[in-house]
């Protein structure tokens, strides 16, 4: 969903559950999430759209997990 976590300024980490079908992280999903430091994505992720993390300066840990 677009703007899924938009302006969740205290959001620090996201751990996506493994979906039953391929998934996409949409534009502006993390817009305004300036405290986000850890992101865990499933192997079923097929696309991270442009401007998913607009104006986000740093993600300290980025994990790609498989089953």
């Amino acid at each position: 969903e677009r703007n899924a976590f938009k302006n969740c300024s205290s959001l620090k980490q996201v751990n996506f559950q493994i979906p039953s079908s391929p998934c996409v992280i949409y534009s502006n999903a993390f817009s305004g999430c300036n405290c986000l430091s850890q992101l865990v994505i499933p192997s079923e992720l097929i696309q991270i759209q442009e401007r998913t993390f607009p104006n986000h300066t740093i993600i300290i840990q980025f994990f790609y997990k498989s089953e």
Side-chain angles (χ1 to χ4, degrees), residues 12-57:
K12 294 182 180 179
Q13 61 183 5
V14 175
N15 186 352
F16 287 98
Q17 298 301 312
I18 297 175
S20 58
S21 61
C23 62
V24 174
I25 299 177
Y26 290 100
S27 299
N28 293 308
F30 295 98
S31 176
C33 298
N34 299 323
C35 291
L36 184 63
S37 62
Q38 181 179 19
L39 183 65
V40 180
I41 60 171
S43 59
E44 288 77 9
L45 181 72
I46 57 172
Q47 182 182 24
I48 297 176
Q49 290 190 338
E50 184 177 340
R51 298 195 47 76
T52 297
F53 306 97
N55 303 320
H56 195 284
T57 55

